[in-house]
Amino acid sequence: MFGVKLSVVLVLLLGLAHRGVDGACSVEHCSNSTRCVLSKDQRSCKCAHGYYADKCDHNADVKVICGKDYITIRALEDFFKYHNVPLQSLHLPNKSCRAQREVIDGATYYMSRISRDQYLACGGRPLEKNFTHILYSLSLLSEPQVTGNIIRDPVIKMDYTCVYTYSRTVSLPFPVVPFSTETVMRVDDLDATVQLMLYTDRSYTKAYSSAPTIELRDKVYVEVTVTEPADFFLLLVDECWATQFPQPNTTEGSAHSLLQNGCVKDRTVSFLNTTEGQSGHNGGSSTIHYSFDMFRFTTEPHELYLHCTVQLCEPVDYKSCTPSCNSISKREAVRAGPAQSLLSYGPIRVEVPDRPPSSALMTVVLPVVGVWAVGFFLIVLITVAKAGNRRLSHKEENTP
């Protein structure tokens, strides 16, 4: 995923003249072409990349490390001492970004290590970008050592580049009922893939593999993340809202806002730290976790569809991904821009627990049953009374 390009130049400064010497060596000792290179006229030589000393037999062990979050260059302390370059004179183009001394596996190095967030502040050159790579280029420099009004020792300049690659997504399947949803966004000349998923709990280790069914007031755990290129862009979840139907801007049915302008709109929403599971914030990394309490709409259908607009920012433009939550305006139609996109997820079903019949139903049923019972009882009494009257009349007729 990462690549390295490095060049080391020693520059001898005499007044305003600059002459590259590239690790000069003694011609009589230049016998190994892998360590030293003779000039065409055979009168001078220079050490090959990574070697130094009169015989070019010392390896400077120069190494550039292109980490996920940092960029480092280092070389052996003896290499700098050979060229009379003290540690305190080494710096990046911004002189406040100084080198430090570090011992690694018993060997002493001078090194410069910065995070990618510090890249521009320390004097990094403008990012070079194309469809497959992003290039970070820096220089480690030494200040000239002045004695009186002359400079005798060379100045070191170590140019190095970290090349970060990524896989470009050409197309994506969109299932009818997605249990994760993806979109491809274009930021300048780069494509980025953003994914939205729901998880079963705050550990964010198990995602739902089918349409989730969640009880009222239970937590709904949402993850929005940049999957490609990983850990480069900052992500801001700008707005999120729920609807009763799959279309995000439909006027049919009800809608409920969760996030607005990157800020909490629903009081149950909380952002979670992606590593520690504690309180977090929006816009500070390439993965955003937040949760809200499950709810349903008062009218059917009760299932929900979740929609979120997202915005991507380069690390050097982090302020664009920092929400201002002092004032919130009414949600407008989804904005279409080169660094913004829309994700939709659903359905999210509401689990309704088994409950006894409604008291309202009982209020209607009981009076009806009572009326029928009283009516039946009256019919029985009338029938019995008539039967008694017949018997009494029959007895009176048979009496002499």
Side-chain angles (χ1 to χ4, degrees), residues 68-88:
K68 183 177 73 172
D69 299 314
Y70 63 87
I71 299 172
T72 300
I73 184 171
R74 73 186 190 198
L76 286 172
E77 179 184 49
D78 187 63
F79 167 76
F80 295 100
K81 287 188 172 181
Y82 175 80
H83 295 293
N84 294 321
V85 174
L87 174 63
Q88 58 269 25

Side-chain angles (χ1 to χ4, degrees), residues 368-381:
V368 173
V369 173
V371 170
W372 278 98
V374 171
F376 180 75
F377 181 68
L378 289 174
I379 292 171
V380 171
L381 286 178

Side-chain angles (χ1 to χ4, degrees), residues 341-357:
S341 191
L342 170 69
L343 292 157
S344 294
Y345 181 106
I348 307 169
R349 299 189 173 98
V350 180
E351 181 174 336
V352 181
D354 294 333
R355 291 176 293 183

Side-chain angles (χ1 to χ4, degrees), residues 143-152:
E143 296 176 359
Q145 302 301 301
V146 180
T147 304
N149 60 351
I150 65 169
I151 299 171
R152 179 166 284 116

Side-chain angles (χ1 to χ4, degrees), residues 112-133:
S112 169
R113 174 186 172 114
I114 63 167
S115 69
R116 281 160 62 173
D117 291 341
Q118 299 173 293
Y119 173 75
L120 287 182
C122 286
R125 289 183 279 280
L127 291 175
E128 298 179 47
K129 297 174 280 187
N130 57 29
F131 283 102
T132 58
H133 297 84

Side-chain angles (χ1 to χ4, degrees), residues 213-218 220 242-245 253-258 266 268 292-305 348-353 355 358:
T213 301
I214 304 172
E215 288 190 21
L216 292 175
R217 300 184 69 179
D218 278 1
V220 181
T243 61
Q244 291 181 285
F245 298 95
S254 301
H256 176 70
S257 180
L258 297 167
D266 182 301
T268 68
F292 64 91
D293 289 357
M294 184 61 180
F295 63 92
R296 70 174 178 84
F297 293 104
T298 54
T299 59
E300 292 186 351
H302 294 318
E303 61 189 21
L304 311 178
Y305 290 85
I348 307 169
R349 299 189 173 98
V350 180
E351 181 174 336
V352 181
R355 291 176 293 183
S358 170

Side-chain angles (χ1 to χ4, degrees), residues 51-255:
Y51 291 92
Y52 67 100
D54 291 343
K55 299 180 181 180
C56 297
D57 56 351
H58 287 56
N59 190 336
D61 194 17
V62 180
K63 187 173 184 180
V64 177
I65 303 170
C66 301
K68 183 177 73 172
D69 299 314
Y70 63 87
I71 299 172
T72 300
I73 184 171
R74 73 186 190 198
L76 286 172
E77 179 184 49
D78 187 63
F79 167 76
F80 295 100
K81 287 188 172 181
Y82 175 80
H83 295 293
N84 294 321
V85 174
L87 174 63
Q88 58 269 25
S89 74
L90 285 173
H91 56 80
L92 297 179
N94 184 336
K95 293 185 178 181
S96 64
C97 300
R98 294 279 174 176
Q100 59 266 8
R101 183 176 181 270
E102 188 168 330
V103 178
I104 302 174
D105 296 330
T108 304
Y109 293 85
Y110 289 174
M111 64 186 297
S112 169
R113 174 186 172 114
I114 63 167
S115 69
R116 281 160 62 173
D117 291 341
Q118 299 173 293
Y119 173 75
L120 287 182
C122 286
R125 289 183 279 280
L127 291 175
E128 298 179 47
K129 297 174 280 187
N130 57 29
F131 283 102
T132 58
H133 297 84
I134 305 172
L135 280 68
Y136 288 73
S137 300
L138 282 159
S139 297
L140 183 65
L141 311 164
S142 67
E143 296 176 359
Q145 302 301 301
V146 180
T147 304
N149 60 351
I150 65 169
I151 299 171
R152 179 166 284 116
D153 297 315
V155 170
I156 287 180
K157 181 182 181 184
M158 305 173 77
D159 294 318
Y160 56 103
T161 299
C162 280
V163 182
Y164 293 85
T165 63
Y166 69 97
S167 300
R168 183 169 181 258
T169 302
V170 178
S171 62
L172 292 166
F174 287 87
V176 176
V177 181
F179 306 114
S180 69
T181 181
E182 291 182 328
T183 185
V184 177
M185 301 176 60
R186 174 60 63 88
V187 183
D188 294 334
D189 293 328
L190 304 177
D191 282 349
T193 304
V194 184
Q195 183 182 68
L196 187 152
M197 299 181 72
L198 262 59
Y199 285 78
T200 58
D201 57 47
R202 67 179 296 123
S203 67
Y204 286 88
T205 55
K206 184 180 179 182
Y208 284 102
S209 57
S210 60
T213 301
I214 304 172
E215 288 190 21
L216 292 175
R217 300 184 69 179
D218 278 1
K219 292 291 184 184
V220 181
Y221 294 97
V222 183
E223 177 186 84
V224 186
T225 185
V226 184
T227 57
E228 294 180 10
D231 299 313
F232 174 72
F233 289 108
L234 298 178
L235 171 67
L236 174 69
V237 183
D238 190 34
E239 299 185 15
C240 285
W241 66 99
T243 61
Q244 291 181 285
F245 298 95
Q247 296 76 19
N249 287 331
T250 180
T251 57
E252 184 180 7
S254 301

